[in-house]
Amino acid sequence: MENTNQQNNSRGKADFPPSLWGCSFASFSFPQTEFESYSRQVEVLKENVKDMLMASKKNPIENNLKEIFDDLPNLLEKYDFDLYTLSLLFRVFRQHGFKMPCVVFDKFKDTNGEFKETIINDVKGILGLYEASFLSVHGEQVLDEALVFTKANLESLAMQSSPRLADHIRNALIRPFHKGVPRIEARKYISFYEEDESRNDTLLKFAKIDFNRVQLIHRQELSILSSPFRASICFLADGGHEIYKNCISLLDDTCDAYASFEEIQHFTNAIERCCMDAIDQLPAEYLKVLYRALLNLFSETESDMGKQGRSCALYYVKEAFKELARAYRVEAQWADEGLVPPFDEYVRNGLATSAYGVIVAASFVEMDEVAGQEAYKWLKSNPNIMKAGKMICRLMNDIVSHEDEQKRGDCASGVECFMKQYDVSEKKAIEEIQKMVANGWKDINEDCMRPTNAPMLLLQHIVNLVRVTDVVYGDDDDAYTIPLSLKDYVTLLYVEQVPMC
């Protein structure tokens, strides 16, 4: 372990910016009449859309997909699907956990094993293949080659395409659909689809009305969370996982930028004990306030879970918090002693400091229908999808935040650790770490293929949390700390309604 000889007894303090939104959402007045109007229209259109999309209203869409998937060999033999259709089928099946074989794309290769030049002008097909390639698992070389091939051609194709299709292509190059937060992607796709000459107007109208309807619900929830009563969000516990996220943020900021190493040691020991008697050992009043809030949150969760017969949930949430606190203490010690740990050691500890484990455990609290004791046991076993999610969160954060963190005196990030261990440049370290992130997505995809070890609803929830990580850290910005780059997404989701005409 390398000592940088830069003792960190007097750490630089973080200069975090104020909220972009302040109390903007607190004054929202829920328009009941408008909401009821949207709801009535949605119910009418929903039946029409079901008729269009499903062979039988009584047969769930996943059953329909299974029937089609089981008959896929016959369909592939009977029909000569073009690149766009085949790519779309591949995406839909894999997104729902059906492992459609990647060899279906071999027919678009020539005798030399290269993708045929004749498909380059098939813009929709190339875009579809690009999107499909992000559903790959380990060992699928044709999809790895497809990603390189399509990415190399899409930018030039965008310049030759209509403005609508060009925007669609550039949006995909920034963030493929599979890595995007579903509701953000749905909102953007509504705009793309509206300009599509082959659009279905009933489906488009349904999508617009339903988006605006749900947006009203979300704005109402934001107004509650933004009210003065909720402003002290970690001092008044109500059991929701959003409150846990805010507690995690406060704990992270405390350990990163405010507390001394000695204070962090005392605080970690108190969290290990997890009882009010331990509060007297805390040396600073602000730590006592944070600790008391955390215990109140645990107490509220225990009460709520007890009513549901799910008391086991609190045990797993507490254990996740203890693991997080221990990992923060390790980082604080590295910073205090000026140490640069080996990269592998850093990553092992970083899986916990990503806070992904706590966030998932806390979010399961609200998923009472599927997140029982078996689900928590599965989570505690640290399956590959969780390891990958933690790693992606930790390393993507490091890539965009390491420079500012080093100026502040934080411990070495994954970037510095990789550079030191392998004696490479910052650029090379980031390139290698990005490859690890890409492989992490393959682990996630693999764990979502049927038969799965956990309910699909829980797996998709975990995937969506990783997608949030990609949105927050994937645009070369640390949008978690400085959220200016998220402003357009917030506006899109919660401020601007979808125009109805």
Side-chain angles (χ1 to χ4, degrees), residues 149-361:
F149 174 76
T150 54
K151 198 171 183 179
N153 287 285
L154 279 172
E155 188 57 52
S156 60
L157 288 172
M159 291 187 287
Q160 305 167 26
S161 302
S162 66
R164 177 197 64 81
L165 186 53
D167 285 344
H168 195 173
I169 291 171
R170 293 190 179 106
N171 179 75
L173 287 171
I174 293 171
R175 179 163 295 104
F177 186 88
H178 185 54
K179 291 186 178 182
V181 174
R183 189 156 174 82
I184 294 176
E185 295 304 312
R187 174 61 186 88
K188 290 189 290 187
Y189 190 75
I190 287 173
S191 297
F192 296 140
Y193 188 67
E194 189 169 26
E195 300 298 321
D196 193 330
E197 294 180 357
S198 63
R199 66 182 179 273
N200 182 295
D201 288 328
T202 299
L203 188 59
L204 177 63
K205 184 179 180 181
F206 175 72
K208 286 183 173 184
I209 292 174
D210 188 59
F211 187 94
N212 287 344
R213 173 183 169 276
V214 174
Q215 185 187 73
L216 292 178
I217 298 173
H218 288 167
R219 290 179 68 181
Q220 183 184 39
E221 292 171 345
L222 283 170
S223 73
I224 296 171
L225 290 171
S226 302
S227 69
F229 176 77
R230 293 285 186 175
S232 56
I233 206 158
C234 234
F235 303 92
L236 295 170
D238 70 356
H241 81 278
E242 291 298 329
I243 311 301
Y244 275 104
K245 288 180 184 177
N246 281 276
C247 280
I248 293 166
S249 294
L250 283 175
L251 180 59
D252 182 29
D253 293 344
T254 296
C255 294
D256 269 357
Y258 298 108
S260 68
F261 177 52
E262 182 181 355
E263 288 175 332
I264 291 170
Q265 286 180 301
H266 285 296
F267 194 77
T268 304
N269 291 337
I271 289 180
E272 291 281 9
R273 291 177 61 187
C274 216
C275 65
M276 196 60 75
D277 290 345
I279 200 167
D280 293 333
Q281 75 182 53
L282 297 176
E285 185 60 30
Y286 78 97
L287 292 176
K288 293 180 180 180
V289 172
L290 177 56
Y291 186 68
R292 188 178 293 112
L294 191 56
L295 292 187
N296 288 342
L297 181 54
F298 289 156
S299 177
E300 188 72 20
T301 301
E302 184 176 31
S303 176
D304 290 344
M305 294 300 96
K307 294 173 184 176
Q308 298 177 21
R310 299 171 63 229
S311 299
C312 63
L314 179 62
Y315 166 78
Y316 291 100
V317 173
K318 280 184 177 180
E319 289 303 302
F321 255 102
K322 291 176 184 179
E323 181 185 38
L324 177 63
R326 289 192 292 267
Y328 281 157
R329 179 174 58 188
V330 170
E331 281 195 347
Q333 182 175 358
W334 289 337
D336 187 65
E337 298 176 0
L339 297 176
V340 180
F343 179 73
D344 291 344
E345 182 179 346
Y346 172 84
V347 170
R348 282 196 300 271
N349 193 68
L351 296 181
T353 63
S354 70
Y356 189 78
V358 182
I359 292 171
V360 173

Side-chain angles (χ1 to χ4, degrees), residues 423-436:
D423 192 23
V424 296
S425 66
E426 177 185 10
K427 180 181 178 182
K428 179 64 175 177
I430 290 174
E431 288 175 355
E432 293 302 314
I433 289 172
Q434 286 172 333
K435 291 178 184 177
M436 294 178 64

